[in-house]
């Protein structure tokens, strides 16, 4: 591999790292400061399920 090829690989890796750092640090995510409540409510119905007993019979 020539010296120019090694420099090209190094430059490509450096550019990929810089791009990754820029993309990952620009994401804010969900915070209380950027969320506004909409007033929607959700009703959840939980049906009663019978308790599961042990299915292994003792001998």
């Amino acid at each position: 591999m020539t010296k120019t090829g090694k420099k090209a690989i190094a430059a490509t890796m450096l550019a990929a790292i810089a791009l990754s750092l820029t993309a990952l640090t620009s994401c804010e995510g969900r915070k209380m400061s950027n969320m506004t409540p909409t007033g929607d409510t959700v009703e959840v119905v939980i049906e009663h399920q019978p308790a599961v007993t042990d299915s292994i019979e003792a001998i």
Side-chain angles (χ1 to χ4, degrees):
M1 185 172 288
T2 64
K3 205 174 208 184
T4 307
K6 288 181 182 180
K7 285 184 180 180
I9 292 172
T12 305
M13 290 180 66
L14 183 62
I17 291 170
L19 182 65
S20 297
L21 288 175
T22 303
L24 293 175
T25 57
S26 65
C27 182
E28 242 182 70
R30 292 185 181 179
K31 296 181 183 176
M32 288 298 293
S33 62
N34 64 4
M35 302 262 311
T36 55
T38 60
D40 295 339
T41 58
V42 177
E43 293 184 18
V44 178
V45 178
I46 301 174
E47 297 177 10
H48 177 69
Q49 298 290 328
V52 177
T53 58
D54 196 5
S55 61
I56 300 174
E57 296 181 13
I59 296 177

